[in-house]
Amino acid sequence: MTELTLEESSEKRELFEKQIQAGEKIEPKDWMPERFRKQLIRMISQHAHSEIVGMLPEGNWITRAPNFRRKKTLLAKVQDEAGHGLYLYCATETLGIDRSELVEQLLTGKAKYSSIFNYPTLSWADIGVIGWLVDGAAIVNQTSLAKTSYGPYSRAMVRICKEENFHKKQGYEIVTGLAKGTPEQRDMVQDSVNRWWWPSLMMFGPSDKDSPNSKELLAWGVKRRSNDELRQRFVNLTVPQAKAAGVTLPDPELRYNEETQDWEFGPINWEEFWQVVSGNGPCNRERMKARQDAHSSGAWVREAAEAYAEKQQRKRAAA
Ligand code: BYC
């Protein structure tokens, strides 16, 4: 990269700020402040890691799906998550970092991934509830991110949201089916909702006053809505869905505020959230070990792919 004079860099900075103010997308070849680039690498790569680690809790149930239709649907969903991870790694690479470095950051614990995937999937109902609540929360967050100021991230989000909508529908279908089923099925789905509700609210990140990155990301239009705004939107959308499905959300303080038209909810256990984020959740170690094992046992695939690419390059050079 060539060094810019002070004058050049303040001109470029001004142009960048103008683009942001005008709601224009910043594209990979545009000038951007180093801090903007770093924040995007952090956020998009952590999103990619979340998609990949997110395959583990659900993948755990592919062999135990209750019928062939459910098995096919779950298999397709888990494959979709892999695809989302790939789009997002590609979007991150447009910022000038190599994927191997990003993967290294995940495997060494330097990069985070979503807290939600550090909880165990204990029953089949968890697959329904993940689709409904976890993908539902992801859609609320990602629909907003589809309008983000960085072009490649925004375009990846549009595509991912379409697939997440299908994931949410299949999850809600499982939940409503179980909620109308036998007493055992109803108990199973209610137990699952009880375990996943609060971790789903935590997916949106710390409350705005405790979110160190939000101010800057909102000012740059990377985030379009704050963590608390998105969390509230998710609760407002989900309470009527829970009622329609016939399940109870485990929050005795949930009440509708006529004035704000919001469903107010009880306090979130932030101590639990920070424990999970810092590596001490119920499944953090298991998830990291699974990714590390997959990476080392996949080494031969990467070597073979590289050897093939080199061979093709030699062929092209000789032609
Ligand atoms: N989990 O300043 P803050 C999916 C960290 S996958 C873990 O508010 P920011 C799916 C945060 O990174 C969906 N860590 O951060 C896949 C920061 O630490 P660092 C995943 C969290 O970036 C498979 C610190 O806490 N979605 O849907 O402004 C199957 C302070 O936070 C979490 C995305 O990744 C968390 N929940 O806002 C099914 C969406 N929250 O990095 C479904 C994209 C916060 O400074 N990301 N932290 O060390 C975002 O929207 C934002 O990055 C966040 C956090 C709202 C998550």
Side-chain angles (χ1 to χ4, degrees):
M1 221 176 278
T2 49
E3 285 279 315
L4 295 173
T5 65
L6 206 56
E7 202 178 323
E8 277 171 332
S9 75
S10 71
E11 262 172 35
K12 287 187 191 280
R13 174 103 203 183
E14 214 172 290
L15 180 66
F16 168 83
E17 297 291 351
K18 269 196 192 140
Q19 280 176 286
I20 297 282
Q21 292 314 320
E24 285 170 26
K25 301 279 180 226
I26 305 296
E27 295 297 339
K29 287 188 176 154
D30 293 341
W31 184 90
M32 61 188 85
E34 234 3 74
R35 175 82 188 154
F36 180 82
R37 184 188 303 278
K38 282 216 171 81
Q39 278 284 36
L40 280 171
I41 291 176
R42 179 188 67 84
M43 188 167 155
I44 311 176
S45 67
Q46 295 192 157
H47 193 165
H49 301 326
S50 304
E51 299 283 354
I52 299 298
V53 178
M55 295 165 74
L56 295 168
E58 292 179 290
N60 196 25
W61 278 88
I62 292 172
T63 54
R64 290 175 287 166
N67 59 49
F68 189 52
R69 175 173 167 254
R70 294 289 185 210
K71 191 191 286 280
K72 278 195 306 185
T73 314
L74 181 58
L75 198 57
K77 178 180 193 288
V78 174
Q79 279 180 332
D80 285 351
E81 311 299 357
H84 299 173
L86 295 184
Y87 309 152
L88 289 165
Y89 282 130
C90 288
T92 321
E93 284 181 309
T94 63
L95 292 153
I97 187 163
D98 192 73
R99 190 177 312 185
S100 57
E101 199 178 324
L102 301 172
V103 172
E104 182 72 14
Q105 288 175 357
L106 171 69
L107 299 180
T108 55
K110 206 174 142 206
K112 296 187 168 72
Y113 58 87
S114 183
S115 49
I116 193 77
F117 302 117
N118 292 306
Y119 291 86
T121 37
L122 303 178
S123 71
W124 170 252
D126 287 5
I127 299 307
V129 171
I130 288 178
W132 172 39
L133 295 182
V134 175
D135 287 271
I139 291 168
V140 170
N141 173 278
Q142 291 169 182
T143 311
S144 169
L145 284 176
K147 299 189 201 92
T148 189
S149 53
Y150 187 57
Y153 194 21
S154 158
R155 291 188 284 276
M157 283 296 100
V158 172
R159 193 159 166 188
I160 289 175
C161 281
K162 287 188 184 152
E163 292 176 357
E164 299 286 24
N165 268 310
F166 157 76
H167 296 170
K168 183 182 168 188
K169 281 183 193 147
Q170 67 83 37
Y172 194 62
E173 191 204 11
I174 295 175
V175 169
T176 49
L178 291 173
K180 279 190 270 177
T182 62
E184 288 80 6
Q185 287 173 323
R186 291 206 294 273
D187 286 350
M188 180 168 72
V189 76
Q190 185 58 56
D191 168 66
S192 178
V193 172
N194 294 347
R195 285 181 289 107
W196 288 95
W197 173 247
W198 291 105
S200 299
L201 296 195
M202 294 175 196
M203 281 176 75
F204 295 92
S207 62
D208 295 349
K209 66 178 177 23
D210 298 318
S211 163
N213 298 297
S214 280
K215 197 171 165 225
E216 189 174 53
L217 293 176
L218 284 163
W220 278 329
V222 172
K223 276 183 171 181
R224 311 299 300 195
R225 296 256 175 270
S226 77
N227 297 359
D228 285 335
E229 284 174 311
L230 292 174
R231 186 169 14 247
Q232 185 63 62
R233 177 162 170 72
F234 171 69
V235 174
N236 290 351
L237 289 169
T238 310
V239 172
Q241 291 164 10
K243 287 201 171 140
V247 293
T248 307
L249 297 174
D251 180 357
E253 293 183 39
L254 257 187
R255 60 182 54 83
Y256 190 65
N257 182 329
E258 293 283 352
E259 215 172 287
T260 59
Q261 304 197 337
D262 284 329
W263 279 94
E264 290 173 354
F265 49 93
I268 291 175
N269 183 347
W270 292 116
E271 169 59 24
E272 174 182 323
F273 170 77
W274 290 115
Q275 280 295 326
V276 175
V277 169
S278 58
N280 299 316
C283 299
N284 293 64
R285 285 169 193 81
E286 195 184 312
R287 301 291 183 239
M288 286 306 289
K289 183 169 181 329
R291 286 313 313 152
Q292 283 154 352
D293 289 352
H295 189 72
S296 52
S297 61
W300 70 272
V301 180
R302 292 191 298 279
E303 279 162 26
E306 267 169 35
Y308 180 74
E310 271 170 32
K311 191 176 155 197
Q312 293 299 97
Q313 217 169 1
R314 274 202 304 274
K315 256 193 192 168
R316 272 198 299 273

